[in-house]
Amino acid sequence: MSDHSYLPEGYHGVTPSLAVKNASEALAFYANAFGAQEIARMMMPDVEKVMHAEFRIANSIMMLSDEFPEMGVVAPEIGQGGSFMLYVEDTDSAFQRAIEAGATQIAPVEDMFWGDRIGRVADPYGYRWMIAHRVRECSIEEVQAAGQQWAKD
């Protein structure tokens, strides 16, 4: 077993850090949409901007701040900030929860050829989320063959 004592407790080797236009609102949205739990929040002195926040979704920690263009930290436009794969117990209910919290549907929930049930949403802060749960295990050969057929259809 390898030694990972260099990692802070609860963290994985890669931790996403997001910049958004209103971090306080975004933290509330992620709590409502994805069940995020806030871990920490540090505010900038003399302004109502989040300098640094951390939150947990499932077993993953993410970081977040308001944008600070003067420091080169700029929030993305809607849908341009990258995407996250979020595995949940029930895709349909998690997808509906995200929509009710203010996410915009990109693609409806459906079973996919690689074995996941997945729906895609955009959050109001520039990021896309693929919400999924595993329906069945597939071999790489099955996925490749099904992917080829899917691409033709």
Side-chain angles (χ1 to χ4, degrees), residues 84-122:
F84 299 95
M85 185 71 157
L86 175 60
Y87 279 101
V88 297
E89 287 185 36
D90 177 2
T91 298
D92 296 88
S93 62
F95 182 87
Q96 188 59 38
R97 179 179 175 176
I99 295 297
E100 290 171 2
T104 302
Q105 177 179 302
I106 297 171
V109 174
E110 62 182 317
D111 292 341
M112 299 303 292
F113 64 85
W114 60 84
D116 286 350
R117 181 158 179 79
I118 187 170
R120 296 178 32 212
V121 299

Side-chain angles (χ1 to χ4, degrees), residues 67-79:
E67 68 176 352
F68 294 93
E70 65 279 9
M71 293 187 251
V73 178
V74 181
E77 296 301 317
I78 300 299

Side-chain angles (χ1 to χ4, degrees), residues 131-152:
I131 303 169
H133 72 262
R134 181 57 44 104
V135 175
R136 62 185 171 81
E137 293 298 324
C138 301
S139 70
I140 190 65
E141 293 81 14
E142 290 173 305
V143 171
Q144 288 173 337
Q148 292 295 314
Q149 185 59 49
W150 177 81
K152 290 177 186 177

Side-chain angles (χ1 to χ4, degrees), residues 1-14:
M1 184 183 290
S2 65
D3 176 20
H4 295 289
S5 61
Y6 57 89
L7 289 171
E9 186 160 341
Y11 287 79
H12 299 285
V14 175

